[in-house]
Amino acid sequence: MTAVNRVAIVGTGVSGLAAAIRLARAGVVVEVFEAETELSTLGSGISLQGNALRAFAELGVWEEASAAGFPFDGMGMRAPGPQAPVIARREEGDDPGTGLPSAMGMPRAELTRILHEHAVRAGATVRFGQRVTGVNVTEDHAELLLESGPAGRYDLVIGADGLHSTVRTALGISAEPEHTGMGIWRAFVSRPAEVQFTELYYGGPCYIAGYTPTGQDSMYAFLVSDAGDHFGATAEEGAAAMIEQSRAYGGPWDQVRADLAAGNAQVNYTWFTQHVVPGRWNRGRAVIIGDAAHSCPPTIAQGAAQGLEDALVLTELLVEREALDEDLWEEFHARRVERATAIVDASVQLAEWQRDGQDHSADVPGLLGGVAQRVAVRA
C-alpha cells in the first residue's frame, strides 16, 4: 500500500519525470502536465556528479544514460593563457559501493528523452500543451486547474515546474530565485580527443571558462562572466561573443572557437540564480521540488542532482508509507531542506569568490573536494 493512489506532477524536467517513474512503477496513477507542446530540446550539455549517477541507477536508467553520455573521473584545472597549462587534477575513482564513475556529461535533451520514455513505460500519462494556472488544496485532496479548466482531483500535486513555478505561486510561497549578477554562455561543440573529463580555467577575462565531454564526439563549453542582456542574441551574435571572450584560453578552446566560427555550435545564454524555500516545501497535499524549491549557480554541478534527490526522497516516502501525514512531511523536509541549503551555499560561495577580485585558486580544490564528500552521502 502507498500513501497516495493518484498524483499530478507539473513539469517534464528531471525532477518531475524522476518522480513519475518511481510512483508509476509502484502502481500509483500518475499524470504529468507540461505547458510546452513537446519535450524541450533547448540547452547544451549537463554535468552530473556521483549522486546524480546513483539516482539514475536507482531509477533503472543508468545503462541508457551512460550510453548516451560520457562517464569520466574527477576534473582538472588549467591556467589561462595560450599554453593553458594544467595546474591541478582531482581523481576520485569509482564509487566503491556501486561501481559507478564519479561524474558524467551528457546532452540535456538526451537525459530528458530517456527519463520521459521510462516514465511512459512505467505507466505515467504525460499531457503536453497543458498550462497549469492554479492549485486548490483541501484536507483530503488537491485540485489542479488548467487554462482549459479543472484537470481533476488528486491525492497529491507535485510542482516540478522550474524556476518560475506556477505551483509555487499558487501555494502562496513568496521565495523566488534571485539573480547573482553572473551569466553563462554555453555552446554544444565537437570534442577534441584530449578532453576526457571536465576542465576549468579560473581567471582571465571570464570568471570561469571550461568544458565537459558529453559523448564520443561532443562536449559543451561554457564561459561565466558578469550578467548581461544577451537573451535576444542571434546564433551568430552568441558565437561571436564566445569567440571574443575566450581568446585568452588556449588548449582545447582553440577547437571550440573553430566550431563557433564555422557555425557548428549551438549557443545559449542564461543568468545564475540562487534561492531555497525556507521551512516547508508543501502546503497540505501539494509540494514543490527541484528548481521550484531551490536553485544554485552551476559552479559545482548540483542543480539537476539536487532535483533528483528531491524526487527520490519524496517518492521513497510516498511508496513506503501508508498515509500522507505530518510524519511523512517532517521526514521529507528533515532530509532535504538542510542538504539543499548547504549545496546552494557552497555553489554561491564559489561564485562569489570569482566576483570579489581576489585570487582564490588555492582554495578552490579544497571547496570542490568538500563538496564531493558532501554529495557522496545519500540524502
Side-chain angles (χ1 to χ4, degrees):
M1 186 174 181
T2 58
V4 291
N5 296 313
R6 190 164 184 250
V7 172
I9 298 173
V10 184
T12 55
V14 169
S15 55
L17 291 173
I21 291 169
R22 172 74 76 79
L23 291 175
R25 284 182 183 155
V28 176
V29 175
V30 177
E31 293 182 72
V32 183
F33 295 85
E34 170 56 52
E36 302 299 327
T37 56
E38 59 185 3
L39 288 176
S40 174
T41 58
L42 297 177
S44 49
I46 184 170
S47 296
L48 300 157
Q49 302 300 314
N51 54 335
L53 308 191
R54 291 194 298 275
F56 293 161
E58 191 169 342
L59 288 167
V61 305
W62 165 246
E63 295 299 328
E64 289 176 61
S66 61
F70 193 97
F72 56 86
D73 181 25
M75 59 163 288
M77 293 175 59
R78 293 191 186 224
Q83 304 305 316
V86 176
I87 58 176
R89 171 77 169 103
R90 191 184 81 243
E91 296 180 344
E92 299 171 11
D94 291 347
D95 185 315
T98 64
L100 296 171
S102 64
M104 183 173 77
M106 69 182 303
R108 286 178 179 268
E110 281 295 281
L111 175 57
T112 303
R113 176 190 62 79
I114 291 168
L115 293 175
H116 173 259
E117 289 178 356
H118 277 266
V120 172
R121 200 177 305 159
T125 300
V126 182
R127 305 186 186 281
F128 290 99
Q130 301 294 315
R131 187 172 298 278
V132 172
T133 58
V135 183
N136 291 330
V137 181
T138 70
E139 184 176 346
D140 60 0
H141 70 266
E143 183 181 33
L144 193 66
L145 306 177
L146 307 175
E147 281 185 337
S148 57
R153 294 181 174 183
Y154 302 87
D155 299 321
L156 176 67
V157 169
I158 300 174
D161 49 342
L163 291 176
H164 308 293
S165 170
T166 299
V167 175
R168 183 180 63 223
T169 300
L171 297 182
I173 298 174
S174 59
E176 293 185 347
E178 301 176 357
H179 298 306
T180 68
M182 300 172 78
I184 183 169
W185 287 101
R186 293 185 175 101
F188 201 49
V189 296
S190 62
R191 181 182 70 88
E194 66 182 292
V195 175
Q196 297 289 326
F197 44 81
T198 291
E199 289 189 311
L200 304 175
Y201 302 58
Y202 289 96
C206 296
Y207 295 123
I208 309 172
Y211 37 77
T212 293
T214 56
Q216 292 303 312
D217 302 312
S218 68
M219 71 176 189
Y220 81 97
F222 48 89
L223 298 167
V224 178
S225 55
D226 290 322
D229 185 8
H230 304 301
F231 297 101
T234 64
E236 293 77 12
E237 290 169 340
M242 289 195 70
I243 290 171
E244 186 60 32
Q245 292 182 29
S246 68
R247 291 194 186 280
Y249 307 109
W253 272 100
D254 294 336
Q255 184 166 324
V256 175
R257 282 187 291 274
D259 281 1
L260 290 166
N264 297 329
Q266 302 173 25
V267 179
N268 66 76
Y269 182 80
T270 190
W271 285 347
F272 285 3
T273 65
Q274 62 170 342
H275 84 292
V276 180
V277 172
R280 298 174 69 102
W281 296 351
N282 80 299
R283 298 294 184 267
R285 290 178 172 269
V287 64
I288 54 174
I289 62 173
D291 285 349
H294 49 78
S295 66
C296 57
T299 46
I300 58 174
Q302 277 294 302
Q306 291 306 301
L308 285 165
E309 287 189 3
D310 291 347
L312 291 184
V313 171
L314 177 61
T315 55
E316 173 190 316
L317 296 172
L318 294 172
V319 168
E320 293 182 352
R321 301 292 182 88
E322 295 185 356
L324 188 64
D325 55 19
E326 283 303 302
D327 287 342
L328 185 150
W329 290 122
E330 287 290 337
E331 182 170 346
F332 173 68
H333 292 106
R335 291 171 62 181
R336 290 305 307 145
V337 177
E338 182 178 354
R339 179 172 171 84
T341 301
I343 294 297
V344 170
D345 287 347
S347 302
V348 171
Q349 180 182 12
L350 185 52
E352 289 177 345
W353 279 355
Q354 306 312 307
R355 297 199 75 200
D356 68 14
Q358 300 182 44
D359 183 6
H360 292 281
S361 57
D363 302 316
V364 171
L367 176 63
L368 294 177
V371 169
Q373 291 181 341
R374 188 177 297 143
V375 301
V377 179
R378 191 182 189 283

